[in-house]
Amino acid sequence: MTLREARIGQDCRVNAIDLKHDTSRRLEMLGLTKGTIIRLLNAKKGGAVIIRVRGTRFALGREIAEGIEVTVRG
Amino acid sequence: MDNKPHNGAELRLAFIGNPNCGKTTLFNAYTGANLKVANWPGVTVEKKEGTYRDHENRFRLIDLPGIYSLTSYTMEEKVSRMCILSDDVDVIIDVTDASALERNLYLTLQLIELGKPVVMALNMMDIVEERGMEIDLHRMSEMLGIPVIPVSARKKTGLGALMHAALHHRDSDARHRIEHHHKVGENAELHREHAVVYSDDVEVIISKLEARLKSTYPDIANPRWHAIKYLENDEEIMGRYAVPTDDIYTGSYESEIINQKYDFIEEVIGEVMANKEEKSAVTDKVDSLLTHRIWGIPIFLGIMALVFGLTFTVGDWLKGYFELALEAFSGLVTNLLAALNVSEFLTSLIIDGIIAGVGGILTFLPNIIILFFALAILEDSGYMSRVAYVMDGLMGKMGLSGRAFIPMLLGFGCTVPAVMASRALEDRRDRLKTIFVTPFMSCSARLPVYVLLSDMFFGKWAGVAAFSMYVLGLVIAVIVAIIFNKASAKYDAHTLLIELPEYKTPNAHTIFIYVWEKVRDYLTKAGTTIFLASILLWFLLNFGAGGLVEDMSDSFAAVIAKVLVPVMSPTGLGYWQIIVALISGIAAKEVVVSSMSVLYGISNISSAEGMSLLEAQLGASGFTAANALALMVFVLLYVPCVATIATIKRESRSLKFTLGTMVMQIGTAWVMSTLVFQIANLFV
């Protein structure tokens, strides 16, 4: 599933990032590497999300949220 | 390092760190408001420099842009890297946010790999301690091989210690001893030398590349770093130090390099951090309200209403007094000049040119100060980043960042501060797009023009006619934004990607410097342009072929206007008096009204009799409600006032962009008023 399908408050494990090369690398540099646990803090109907990754918060647009493959860890 | 400092020599420090790490606050704590702001050569990234003295030691500080990594993806990253690698920097001060240490360490590791002396300024330790977390500074320093100095930029603690560490770390060639607990295997030598050691397969490639780079470029500094850049597919480095690599490796190892750095960061965090994320801060609670999916937008609109109200009610109230004072001053000078028998030409230059020009610049100050005070609070508290998220849906449809809403809204007040507020946008392309459309928001100076014309021509529909201008401006802005976006779609589809920092109490010193920088910038940079342009307009409107003219109708402006009559005929504005009024309106939009009264020889235009007189005069020349509507549309859309043009030039730092904006605006105004005039004519 993609990050967009996760529910608010869920912890997810990043499995893969399927986005344009530059965006993928940028996300990795920000700490969204494979295996990282992220928490979905907030989400909007339009698809934008707020996540917590490695102790910091990021707002991501729908296009990005849909390109991050995750597994929910409860 | 070969160039040892001799006593008393200046130590050059580059401050670098992630956005929101408190780097600028720390930098300001050393330099105060006394800094030199310039552009990096050839690019539009701002460069700040300041100095600091501590006993007999002198320091030159450079504030680099806030960045997350040292690759060459963005202009900011390229500039920072270039600066650090140059000989202008002796020691790198890596400012890190202790409350976001894990992510901050990524840049730290990249800096360490560069091979220059690095000192870490660990900021916000107080916040971390309040939350019950502990960081083992000694162990972190050991694992990274660099000095780690705890500081608080806000409380101004640790400042001396940091400079001291920089001074000493510069003196010592040797890195700190690096000690890790992990298995070192066959790369024991590497582990003693380098904080980050990659997996064996990567290290094999690095050492082969290193050898090849060294044999091809014997002078290359730090071949290991260059080899790593090769693996990261860094085009800049690969171009400058080209070597064949096909027999060593294929493909890109960029992802591996990033992932393995984070593996090491996790190891560091595991060893140095205790009670990680005990309390998850107030930020999440505040955010659950401020970024709420329903309440987020109303709250933002409420905050903006407050900012708008403060800026334009309080600002305009102060502005009123300022204008009174200016008028009194101008009257005083007029009397003085008359008493001194100064020539008419000089009197006009001083009163209508210089005093009016300088006064015109200063009248914007109350608005600008109050607005930037409010924006500084939003920015420093951490709310500004949330705006991007909250408004992303609506603004994203126009291909604009959520934050573009702020300048666009402020545009209804005054375009000058609105364009300046576009600095809240982090991406240059977003900023330009916003600057491009902001002048279409109908500013308050255009209102008197609408009021006068609608009162004269639209009777009981006057209010509707005036209000429709606001709607039209907004609609045009949206359409232009969408077109602009379609045209630049090949670059990058707009995607939100922004950090939301912790909320914090705004810092008075930071806010003061923020406001002061904006004001100083406005006065020195935009102010000079506004002044020169005002003088030019004064010349056009007061001079004719025979020198100084009594009557505007003999001026150069009138000559130009008469030439332009055929061009303006389709818009219904083919009257030279109207065109002169429009030219004078470039000085300030509200001047259109007073110029019209002068040109049609009416003394008190806002009174009932003055209005009916003007209406009669206009009517006699065939100027009807259709022409009036076209004139309102033209005033709404054509080039903004000189102050705005100068501000656009200052903020975009591009003459081409500024001229392009003006051409587009005149074009839009012409097309729209022609359309309105021709259609309205069918009904009138």
Side-chain angles (χ1 to χ4, degrees):
Chain A
M1 64 185 272
T2 71
L3 181 59
R4 198 189 166 184
E5 295 158 77
R7 281 202 311 275
I8 294 176
Q10 278 181 329
D11 284 334
C12 308
R13 184 184 178 281
V14 177
N15 294 328
I17 298 178
D18 180 24
L19 288 160
K20 274 196 317 201
H21 176 87
D22 283 17
T23 316
S24 304
R25 292 298 91 75
R26 268 188 82 84
L27 289 171
E28 284 180 340
M29 287 173 202
L30 295 172
L32 234 78
T33 52
K34 216 169 283 178
T36 312
I37 308 297
I38 58 178
R39 171 173 288 181
L40 189 68
L41 294 175
N42 206 341
K44 287 205 295 190
K45 262 220 223 75
V49 297
I50 299 180
I51 57 164
R52 179 157 58 224
V53 51
R54 297 183 191 269
T56 54
R57 289 168 199 79
F58 273 90
L60 309 174
R62 178 179 56 84
E63 299 85 348
I64 295 181
E66 284 174 350
I68 302 175
E69 278 289 328
V70 296
T71 327
V72 173
R73 292 180 85 250
Chain B
M1 295 291 115
D2 43 337
N3 42 348
K4 291 265 188 195
H6 24 87
N7 268 345
E10 215 172 39
L11 190 67
R12 291 157 307 174
L13 309 174
F15 278 58
I16 192 164
N18 285 183
N20 311 307
C21 69
K23 175 176 59 65
T24 300
T25 313
L26 184 65
F27 184 83
N28 289 343
Y30 284 107
T31 64
N34 177 29
L35 18 115
K36 219 170 75 200
V37 185
N39 267 15
W40 291 93
V43 293
T44 50
V45 179
E46 210 165 66
K47 176 184 189 176
K48 280 189 209 160
E49 266 187 67
T51 53
Y52 175 71
R53 277 190 94 98
D54 177 22
H55 304 296
E56 77 281 16
N57 301 311
R58 285 183 295 135
F59 302 89
R60 173 166 298 280
L61 285 67
I62 305 173
D63 190 17
L64 293 171
I67 52 174
Y68 292 111
S69 82
L70 263 194
T71 42
S72 50
Y73 281 122
T74 66
M75 203 52 92
E76 282 78 5
E77 292 175 355
K78 275 185 203 161
V79 162
S80 303
R81 198 165 86 179
M82 222 159 49
C83 169
I84 291 177
L85 285 174
S86 75
D87 290 332
D88 293 340
V89 174
D90 301 318
V91 179
I92 301 168
I93 305 293
D94 172 34
V95 187
T96 52
D97 171 359
S99 68
L101 189 59
E102 197 169 334
R103 212 266 327 290
N104 277 245
L105 281 178
Y106 182 76
L107 180 65
T108 308
L109 294 186
Q110 287 195 316
L111 292 170
I112 293 172
E113 271 178 352
L114 278 175
K116 276 211 174 181
V118 179
V119 174
M120 184 196 287
L122 187 62
N123 194 17
M124 309 202 197
M125 270 301 277
D126 41 341
I127 295 177
V128 168
E129 278 161 6
E130 270 168 37
R131 255 187 254 161
M133 278 150 71
E134 276 170 48
I135 298 175
D136 185 343
L137 302 183
H138 179 73
R139 181 68 191 130
M140 186 150 78
S141 171
E142 231 171 42
M143 291 185 83
L144 298 174
I146 57 169
V148 174
I149 312 296
V151 296
S152 169
R154 287 169 173 255
K155 293 179 184 159
K156 298 193 181 184
T157 58
L159 299 188
L162 180 62
M163 288 297 114
H164 215 79
L167 213 56
H168 281 267
H169 197 52
R170 206 259 197 198
D171 283 343
S172 63
D173 276 2
R175 286 160 172 278
H176 278 206
R177 208 153 57 109
I178 297 173
E179 277 179 38
H180 295 160
H181 289 152
H182 52 226
K183 282 217 319 275
V184 289
E186 50 192 278
N187 289 326
E189 187 59 35
L190 283 175
H191 282 272
R192 266 195 298 277
E193 291 258 332
H194 305 288
V196 191
V197 176
Y198 300 95
S199 59
D200 290 351
D201 56 324
V202 175
E203 284 296 346
V204 169
I205 301 171
I206 291 176
S207 67
K208 282 185 187 162
L209 270 175
E210 246 184 284
R212 179 156 302 168
L213 282 164
K214 243 189 299 190
S215 66
T216 320
Y217 303 94
D219 295 337
I220 196 168
N222 195 358
R224 179 180 170 86
W225 180 74
H226 287 88
I228 293 168
K229 287 291 138 185
Y230 252 91
L231 288 181
E232 288 180 342
N233 230 342
D234 189 300
E235 281 168 13
E236 202 183 306
I237 299 298
M238 292 164 87
R240 198 177 318 145
Y241 297 100
V243 289
T245 56
D246 288 349
D247 55 325
I248 300 178
Y249 77 103
T250 48
S252 164
Y253 279 80
E254 200 178 1
S255 199
E256 279 80 357
I257 298 279
I258 299 171
N259 276 273
Q260 292 187 24
K261 277 206 180 80
Y262 269 108
D263 289 344
F264 175 64
I265 289 170
E266 279 168 20
E267 185 185 326
V268 175
I269 293 292
E271 284 195 39
V272 305
M273 209 138 170
N275 307 328
K276 190 181 158 196
E277 284 185 39
E278 271 295 273
K279 276 184 269 171
S280 118
V282 215
T283 297
D284 288 330
K285 281 193 198 115
V286 180
D287 256 348
S288 66
L289 184 65
L290 293 185
T291 62
H292 191 270
R293 53 167 77 193
I294 295 160
W295 295 111
I297 291 181
I299 291 173
F300 168 67
L301 292 180
I303 291 173
M304 281 325 288
L306 194 69
V307 171
F308 192 91
L310 275 177
T311 304
F312 295 111
T313 53
V314 180
D316 287 349
W317 175 72
L318 287 172
K319 195 172 170 175
Y321 281 102
F322 180 82
E323 279 165 348
L324 280 182
L326 187 73
E327 217 170 284
F329 177 71
S330 164
L332 210 69
V333 176
T334 311
N335 292 338
L336 186 73
L337 293 175
L340 292 172
N341 267 328
V342 176
S343 75
E344 210 179 325
F345 161 74
L346 207 58
T347 308
S348 173
L349 174 68
I350 292 172
I351 303 295
D352 306 324
I354 297 173
I355 295 183
V358 173
I361 297 163
L362 296 179
T363 46
F364 291 106
L365 269 189
N367 295 142
I368 290 176
I369 292 172
I370 295 173
L371 170 66
F372 280 98
F373 178 74
L375 289 186
I377 290 175
L378 294 185
E379 181 88 55
D380 202 39
S381 64
Y383 181 67
M384 197 64 108
S385 340
R386 272 77 183 176
V387 174
Y389 171 78
V390 170
M391 295 304 291
D392 179 63
L394 191 64
M395 303 302 286
K397 288 194 179 73
M398 292 187 268
L400 290 170
S401 148
R403 293 197 207 184
F405 187 85
I406 296 171
M408 285 178 72
L409 176 73
L410 292 165
F412 285 119
C414 173
T415 321
V416 172
V419 168
M420 286 172 81
S422 68
R423 284 206 202 166
L425 283 94
E426 61 279 20
D427 178 70
R428 179 170 157 81
R429 235 176 358 246
D430 276 353
R431 214 176 300 149
L432 291 185
K433 254 191 260 178
T434 310
I435 292 175
F436 199 63
V437 299
T438 299
F440 288 131
M441 305 287 117
S442 188
C443 73
S444 57
R446 288 171 237 188
L447 185 61
V449 184
Y450 307 152
V451 170
L452 178 86
L453 289 168
S454 2
D455 274 351
M456 280 194 297
F457 290 95
F458 300 107
K460 64 176 170 146
W461 298 103
V464 180
F467 182 72
S468 67
M469 290 302 119
Y470 285 84
V471 178
L472 180 68
L474 192 63
V475 170
I476 297 277
V478 171
I479 293 172
V480 169
I482 290 172
I483 293 172
F484 196 105
N485 199 40
K486 286 264 153 64
S488 62
K490 62 173 190 279
Y491 292 113
D492 200 354
H494 162 80
T495 37
L496 178 70
L497 171 54
I498 190 175
E499 186 180 1
L500 306 180
E502 305 261 335
Y503 286 110
K504 53 189 189 230
T505 326
N507 176 276
H509 191 236
T510 307
I511 289 174
F512 166 74
I513 288 179
Y514 185 93
V515 175
W516 167 239
E517 271 178 26
K518 295 287 177 295
V519 169
R520 190 177 61 173
D521 196 58
Y522 169 74
L523 287 179
T524 56
K525 302 290 172 18
T528 18
T529 319
I530 299 173
F531 181 70
L532 291 176
S534 310
I535 296 289
L536 178 70
L537 275 174
W538 164 81
F539 179 77
L540 284 179
L541 292 165
N542 291 282
F543 275 81
L548 192 66
V549 292
E550 276 294 310
D551 190 347
M552 223 187 268
S553 48
D554 299 324
S555 67
F556 285 126
V559 176
I560 297 171
K562 282 167 187 163
V563 174
L564 289 176
V565 167
V567 183
M568 292 298 281
S569 292
T571 63
L573 305 175
Y575 302 86
W576 70 264
Q577 295 93 330
I578 301 274
I579 299 172
V580 174
L582 286 173
I583 293 175
S584 74
I586 299 174
K589 287 288 168 85
E590 60 266 42
V591 175
V592 171
V593 174
S594 55
S595 295
M596 273 176 74
S597 63
V598 171
L599 289 160
Y600 284 101
I602 293 150
S603 54
N604 47 348
I605 194 156
S606 45
S607 71
E609 53 195 303
M611 263 194 233
S612 56
L613 204 62
L614 180 61
E615 197 184 343
Q617 287 219 19
L618 286 172
S621 55
F623 191 96
T624 63
N627 302 69
L629 197 62
L631 180 55
M632 282 161 67
V633 171
F634 201 86
V635 169
L636 166 71
L637 301 173
Y638 87 121
V639 263
C641 63
V642 278
T644 301
I645 298 171
T647 312
I648 291 178
K649 164 77 177 44
R650 175 62 197 148
E651 294 298 322
S652 66
R653 287 153 206 237
S654 159
L655 185 64
K656 211 175 102 193
F657 175 82
T658 311
L659 292 176
T661 310
M662 287 167 65
V663 168
M664 183 275 305
Q665 284 157 340
I666 296 176
T668 314
W670 191 89
V671 170
M672 285 310 295
S673 49
T674 303
L675 220 63
V676 166
F677 178 63
Q678 301 299 344
I679 293 172
N681 244 348
L682 300 177
F683 299 97
V684 178

